[in-house]
Amino acid sequence: MTLDVALVMKLGGFTLDVAFAAPAGITVLYGRSGAGKSSIINAVAGLAKPDGGRITVEGEVLFDSRAGVNLPAHKRRMGCIFQDARLFPHLTVAQNLRYGRWFSKRGPEEARVVEMLGIGPLLERRPGALSGGERQRVAIGRALMAGPRMLLADEPLAALDEARKAEILPYFERLGAEMGVPVLYVSHAPAEVARLATTVVALAEGKVVRQGPAADVLGDPQVTPLGPRAAGSVLEARVLAHHKDGLSELEAGGLRLHLPVVSHPVGAVLRVHIEAADVMLASEAPRGISALNVWPARVTEVRMGTGPGAIARLEAGGQVLLARVTRRSAEAMALGPGRDVFAVLKAVSVAPESVA
């Protein structure tokens, strides 16, 4: 299933003018606040009318300004999940779930949704007695019960603390695998994007600056205008061992990577997001340092920022890495395509939420 979006909307001081395709899986709209992400979600859901354009899903036209087509929200079969769960406070969890069923008989069995989301013990409670993470799980369940052809998630984790985010992320990962429901997901958090996205649409000032697989988009220095910590690398790694000192050893192509212990078993394949700001460069092999991850690398590109920073794109062991350095350091090290360096990463720099 593919969602095709082409729309123009005037928003305050700028015009949103985008075109992209969201294939099966999780497509993340990624960018700073005010880039137009939520406006796109609202347009796809039928909650806002674009000034022009065309939106189709599975070949069905949802909106076409030239043809005068604008399906109402309730006919689009889109499940919406927002920052606040928006559950009915006077209904129990079970009653909130069944409310979703009123809109469609095509949804999955209630027992299947309850089991996948782990909300069986919550069914008789009301939303006021739930944690933020529990409320969001129920909101996901209610949306699924309506049998949507796509879920629209507008920064569903933004209001949660890190512990609650870690609780919810695995459920979004399971939606495609277990329910087969594609997701259009809004986020401005790089680690969240790297963990969830199969496709990323990067936005800045109402325009698409890059779209494609998460590793390609986050590994492109062009995304740095999205924020100082936006750029980074996404490595697919395999767990080799868990050591007694609290570290896990992973292998990503030609790289060995030591991280604080991960929950995945030996042999599991996962994705690791490494922010460019956490990678240091050395012109010679460093000695006597505390960092455990030191890799020979070659510079393939250097992009100077408008301020004091620069982004170096590296190739190391067949993997693409980004390193954020100062312009002064880039000039002092004569960084440029073909320059051999050593990339240095402290094991503790990679946060648990950056590993999935």
Side-chain angles (χ1 to χ4, degrees):
M1 191 217 78
T2 299
L3 170 74
D4 289 294
V5 176
L7 59 85
V8 176
M9 294 178 70
K10 293 181 180 178
L11 302 172
F14 75 100
T15 297
L16 178 66
D17 187 353
V18 298
F20 65 89
I26 299 179
T27 298
V28 177
L29 302 177
Y30 174 49
R32 288 182 173 182
S33 297
K37 306 183 299 298
S38 294
S39 296
I40 294 172
I41 287 280
N42 289 335
V44 173
L47 303 177
K49 183 180 178 182
D51 297 307
R54 178 181 168 90
I55 302 171
T56 65
V57 60
E58 295 180 310
E60 180 182 354
V61 178
L62 305 183
F63 174 80
D64 189 325
S65 58
R66 290 186 177 180
V69 176
N70 185 24
L71 282 186
H74 68 277
K75 290 187 177 181
R76 297 195 180 194
R77 289 184 52 209
M78 297 289 178
C80 297
I81 305 168
F82 302 97
Q83 286 186 29
D84 51 336
R86 302 191 185 182
L87 302 177
F88 295 109
H90 62 292
L91 300 181
T92 65
V93 166
Q95 291 169 329
N96 269 282
L97 290 175
R98 290 163 193 161
Y99 179 81
R101 177 67 82 230
W102 293 350
F103 293 92
S104 173
K105 304 300 182 185
R106 305 175 185 176
E109 292 295 325
E110 180 179 324
R112 184 182 177 198
V113 172
V114 169
E115 188 279 331
M116 191 202 81
L117 295 170
I119 54 179
L122 311 178
L123 292 177
E124 299 307 315
R125 298 188 196 175
R126 284 185 166 79
L130 305 178
S131 70
E134 290 169 341
R135 285 194 293 272
Q136 283 298 59
R137 279 190 278 156
V138 176
I140 295 170
R142 184 176 64 181
L144 288 173
M145 290 285 285
R149 51 184 157 193
M150 173 173 266
L151 286 179
L152 307 177
D154 190 2
E155 300 208 63
L157 309 186
L160 303 179
D161 59 28
E162 293 304 322
R164 300 290 78 76
K165 288 181 182 180
E167 171 192 331
I168 295 297
L169 278 170
Y171 295 105
F172 276 103
E173 291 173 322
R174 295 171 64 182
L175 285 176
E178 297 189 21
M179 293 293 182
V181 180
V183 182
L184 185 62
Y185 188 105
V186 167
S187 179
H188 62 268
E192 200 174 307
V193 177
R195 177 165 178 172
L196 291 177
T198 48
T199 302
V200 177
V201 178
L203 299 163
E205 299 178 352
K207 302 291 189 294
V208 175
V209 296
R210 181 74 193 271
Q211 56 184 307
D216 293 346
V217 175
L218 295 180
D220 185 347
Q222 185 179 348
V223 305
T224 54
L226 302 183
R229 303 192 72 86
S233 314
V234 180
L235 307 183
E236 186 170 280
R238 182 169 57 90
V239 180
L240 297 180
H242 299 299
H243 299 290
K244 293 181 179 179
D245 60 359
L247 295 177
S248 293
E249 184 175 354
L250 291 74
E251 184 267 337
L255 303 181
R256 288 295 179 94
L257 179 62
H258 291 86
L259 300 177
V261 66
V262 300
S263 59
H264 303 70
V266 171
V269 176
L270 48 82
R271 288 200 285 184
V272 180
H273 177 238
I274 299 174
E275 293 187 0
D278 291 329
V279 178
M280 297 177 59
L281 298 181
S283 56
E284 299 178 355
R287 300 175 59 186
I289 64 171
S290 61
L292 297 177
N293 302 299
V294 179
W295 308 302
R298 176 162 292 180
V299 178
T300 59
E301 179 186 356
V302 177
R303 183 182 291 266
M304 295 296 182
T306 56
I311 292 286
R313 190 173 189 269
L314 317 168
E315 182 179 301
Q319 303 291 319
V320 172
L321 294 173
L322 294 187
R324 186 176 182 85
V325 298
T326 63
R327 294 172 65 97
R328 182 179 299 184
S329 294
E331 292 166 358
M333 296 177 66
L335 295 183
R339 177 77 158 91
D340 289 326
V341 295
F342 288 85
V344 181
L345 173 72
K346 294 173 61 176
V348 295
S349 292
V350 180
E353 63 269 19
S354 298
V355 180

